[in-house]
Structure formats: C-alpha cells, structure tokens
Amino acid sequence: MDADTSTEAAKTARRGRLWYADMSPNERRTFWACFGGWATDAFDVQMFSLVLTVLLSTGFLASNGEAGTIATITLVSSAFGGWVAGLLADRFGRITMLKVSVCWFAVFACACGFAQDDLQLGGLRALMGLGFGGEWAVGAVLMAETVRAGIRGRAVGGVQAAWSVGWGAAVVLYVVVSDGVSDDWLWRIMFWAGLLPALLVLYIRRHVEEPPLARRTAGPRPGLAGVLQIFHPEFLGRTVLCSLIAVGAQGGYYALTTWLPQFLEEERGLEVLALGGTLAVVIVGAFVGYLLGADLSDRLGRRWTLVVTSILALAISLVFTLLHPSTAVFTVLCFPLGMFSAAYFSSLGPLFSEQYPTRIRASGQGFCYNFGRGIGALFPSAIGFLSDRIEVGTAIAVFAGSAYALLAICALVVRERDDVDIDTVDEALA
C-alpha cells in the first residue's frame, strides 16, 4: 500500500469514527429534528406503561386484560397511521407529514388526561397512535435520504437512540409527579404533559429542508399507487421479509417493555423509587444499545447486526423473566436487557430504506415497519389475558422469546443493500 492510499484509508477511518462531526449543517439539523421527534414519541407512548399500575389500582381499568387491550389498540392504530403517513409522505413531502404527525400525537396524548372512562381512554389512545406511527415512518425516511450512504446506518441508528431519551424523561416525570399528588391525579398530569412535544414543530419549520430527491419525486404519479407497488412481484419478496422482521422486532420489544413496570412491581416487589431506579438502568442500557447497534449496522452490516443482537436479546430476556435471579444479579442484568432489546432497532431504518426506490420508499418502509407494529401490538393484549392466569414474567417470556426467534431467522435471509447510494443510484434498488 503506497503513502497516498494509506493517507486516504486513515481519513476514511477517521470519518467513520467521527461521523457526526463530518456531517453537513443540513444533515445535523435534520438529525436533531428526527431525534427530537422520536424522543417525543417515546415520551408520550411510554406514559401508558408507567401509569398502568395506577390505572389498575384506582379501578379506572378493571383488569390486566383490559389494560393490554388498550395498549394493543394504540399500537394497531399506530400501524395504520404509519402506513398512511408513508403513502402521504411519498406524495406530499417528508417535512409536511412529519409536522402533522408530531402535532397529532401530542394533542391526543394530552387529551387522554381528560378521559372519563376506559372507553374514552381507549379511543383517545387509538387516535394518538395514528400520529405516533406516522412520525417514525416519515422521520426514518427523511434521515436516510438526507445523509450519505457511508454513515447512513449510524445516522439513522443514532436517531433511534432518542427513544431511550424520551423514555427516560417520562420516567423522571413519573417519579417527580408521583411524590406530590394522589394517584387519581397522577395519571392525568402525566398524559397532559404529552402536549409538550408539539413545540418541536417550530424547530422543524425553521431549520429542516425537504431532501432534493424527495422533492423531485413528490406529487401524483401514473401507474400503481405506492401501496400496491410494494406488492408487485418485483418488490413482494422484500416486502414480506421486511414485514416479518418488523413483527419480530416490534413484538419482542412491546412484549417486554409494555409489561416491564408491572413485572417489576408484581414479581420483584419494587416501589416507586426502586422501580424508577431499575427502569433507569434498563433505559441507559437501551441508549447504549441503540448507539452500539447503529455502529454495528455500518460495520457488520444490517443483517448480521439483527441476527446477533436478537439472539442476545432472546437469551437475556428468558433469564430475566424465568429464572428469578437474586437481586444483585437481576440488577446487573437490567443493563444488557435494555441494551440488546434496543440494539437491533438501529438497523431497521437503514435496512428498510435501502430496499425500495424513492418513489415508493416511504410507502414501503412505512408498511413493513407498521405491519410489524400491528402484529406485535397483539402481544401486550395476549400477555395481559395470559397473566390473569399465570405469572407476568412467564407470559412475557413466551411472547418475547417467540418474537426474537422470528427476527433472527428472517434476518438471516434478507438481502443486504447497504452499499447503495439512494441519492444517485435509485435504479439499483429496483
């Protein structure tokens, strides 16, 4: 290797390590807009898991089965919302739909605090879910189309790390508010705080630009609509495979995290401060996991990152929920549980974005991710009804374990397309 080649290799390696520093101003602004959107998603969505015990103890919800059903309704509606938002983003632009999605879920998250019975709460959570699903579908595509191919995995995966930030903010708010108000007001105040994310729209309006490639392809197009094109024989195989990957990813995550606070309180006997501290360890682990998965996504490839992290998530979740480890071991396991149950998500956005050409990218990505969310949404409800008969931990293990196994198997089969420059070589994705 000559001196020039060595110098160029060193520069490339440095850019790989310092991918954020190497971003253009527009890439950074887009990164933080998408990061903020996903964090606020988590902030609003995780509210329900945190107040679940309060809703049950006050009698607002009658049973675990009813609570699980509301969680499932929220996720099913988010699957539909994500699919529709993807279709509209291909037609009217990424930025427009991102702003609409953020405002929508913030308003209806806040409205949940005014619910007077379980039916109203279920309906409002369903409406909130429409915007929640749309934000990821649009934000992930926006990020993928804005950054260069060489850092796409880390950039899109880095945005995914925002989920743990929003989740952590919700836990902090829960611990603070629960110390000063009654349970009857606690859950309402938590939901009312869900309006705050709407402020993100002001930043998006002023600082984020539509990707040039999306501007060129937006608007009415002849031929099949995007929703049908993703099922054309040319794309059907990748649509089915990516949808199954999303089922495994979403099903495992929701099976674990929706019922985690209830599991910690019911089977481990944790009260508010201990519960908050334990969740903090899981959340810090998740944050590290998102960043680890993002780095591995560019280094190992999307496929092998999914395989390795899902197998590790499977192993640790079974130990965590079934073996009843000592308090010391249990606490230590919280960190890798959070890390590996989150790491694989960092590969989903890049993987799905690279499967479709620009004209149907948001439609395809939105459908696959949210089909997985729709099927995975059944898991919290199933766990809720099953846990009325057996231990919550056992019910979690059954569904989370099955989901992680599906994810690992399907990831072994999916085709890797991480070398595609989606800005200039669109035809390579067809």
Side-chain angles (χ1 to χ4, degrees), residues 219-289:
R221 293 179 296 277
L224 291 173
V227 65
L228 298 180
Q229 275 195 315
I230 64 175
F231 298 112
H232 187 276
E234 184 179 13
F235 302 107
L236 180 60
R238 69 190 76 171
T239 297
V240 170
L241 199 53
C242 288
S243 296
L244 290 175
I245 287 173
V247 169
Q250 303 277 16
Y253 185 81
Y254 288 127
L256 184 65
T257 59
T258 300
W259 289 101
L260 184 57
Q262 181 78 353
F263 168 74
L264 293 174
E265 181 169 336
E266 184 177 300
E267 295 192 20
R268 302 298 302 193
L270 301 185
E271 297 184 357
V272 172
L273 289 178
L275 175 65
T278 302
L279 287 176
V281 176
V282 176
I283 292 167
V284 171
F287 182 79
V288 173

Side-chain angles (χ1 to χ4, degrees), residues 182-222:
S182 66
D183 286 350
D184 289 326
W185 283 101
L186 170 59
W187 65 270
R188 294 187 185 277
I189 292 172
M190 290 289 290
F191 284 137
W192 289 336
L195 186 62
L196 295 175
L199 297 175
L200 176 67
V201 172
L202 300 177
Y203 178 85
I204 296 172
R205 286 186 61 187
R206 295 189 61 181
H207 299 290
V208 184
E209 302 173 3
E210 188 78 8
L213 189 60
R215 287 200 298 268
R216 292 197 299 269
T217 59
R221 293 179 296 277

Side-chain angles (χ1 to χ4, degrees), residues 118-403:
D118 56 341
L119 292 178
Q120 290 183 17
L121 181 60
L124 290 169
R125 293 294 292 178
L127 289 169
M128 189 217 75
L130 294 175
F132 160 54
E135 195 284 329
W136 188 91
V138 179
V141 172
L142 172 64
M143 195 70 232
E145 291 179 342
T146 300
V147 300
R148 289 149 287 167
I151 61 171
R152 188 183 303 135
R154 279 160 288 183
V156 179
V159 167
Q160 196 76 47
W163 184 270
S164 58
V165 175
W167 187 9
V171 170
V172 170
L173 180 64
Y174 175 75
V175 172
V176 171
V177 174
S178 64
D179 188 46
V181 301
S182 66
D183 286 350
D184 289 326
W185 283 101
L186 170 59
W187 65 270
R188 294 187 185 277
I189 292 172
M190 290 289 290
F191 284 137
W192 289 336
L195 186 62
L196 295 175
L199 297 175
L200 176 67
V201 172
L202 300 177
Y203 178 85
I204 296 172
R205 286 186 61 187
R206 295 189 61 181
H207 299 290
V208 184
E209 302 173 3
E210 188 78 8
L213 189 60
R215 287 200 298 268
R216 292 197 299 269
T217 59
R221 293 179 296 277
L224 291 173
V227 65
L228 298 180
Q229 275 195 315
I230 64 175
F231 298 112
H232 187 276
E234 184 179 13
F235 302 107
L236 180 60
R238 69 190 76 171
T239 297
V240 170
L241 199 53
C242 288
S243 296
L244 290 175
I245 287 173
V247 169
Q250 303 277 16
Y253 185 81
Y254 288 127
L256 184 65
T257 59
T258 300
W259 289 101
L260 184 57
Q262 181 78 353
F263 168 74
L264 293 174
E265 181 169 336
E266 184 177 300
E267 295 192 20
R268 302 298 302 193
L270 301 185
E271 297 184 357
V272 172
L273 289 178
L275 175 65
T278 302
L279 287 176
V281 176
V282 176
I283 292 167
V284 171
F287 182 79
V288 173
Y290 287 128
L291 297 180
L292 173 65
D295 188 66
L296 291 177
S297 182
D298 279 336
R299 295 180 185 276
L300 295 182
R302 320 320 185 198
R303 178 171 59 185
W304 285 108
T305 298
L306 290 173
V307 171
V308 171
T309 55
S310 60
I311 290 174
L312 290 171
L314 169 61
I316 293 175
S317 64
L318 294 182
V319 172
F320 191 84
T321 55
L322 294 180
L323 297 188
H324 304 287
S326 66
T327 300
V329 174
F330 179 85
T331 302
V332 170
L333 284 176
C334 287
F335 185 85
L337 177 75
M339 182 166 63
F340 293 117
S341 64
Y344 56 78
F345 275 104
S346 295
S347 286
L348 296 185
L351 176 70
F352 294 170
S353 291
E354 292 158 354
Q355 300 298 312
Y356 299 98
T358 303
R359 68 183 185 277
I360 58 171
R361 179 168 297 121
S363 305
Q365 182 164 331
F367 174 83
C368 293
Y369 190 87
N370 288 288
F371 177 86
R373 180 178 279 159
I375 301 300
L378 301 176
F379 287 31
S381 180
I383 291 172
F385 286 109
L386 187 59
S387 66
D388 285 332
R389 296 167 177 80
I390 64 174
E391 290 185 340
V392 173
T394 304
I396 292 173
V398 168
F399 287 96
S402 300

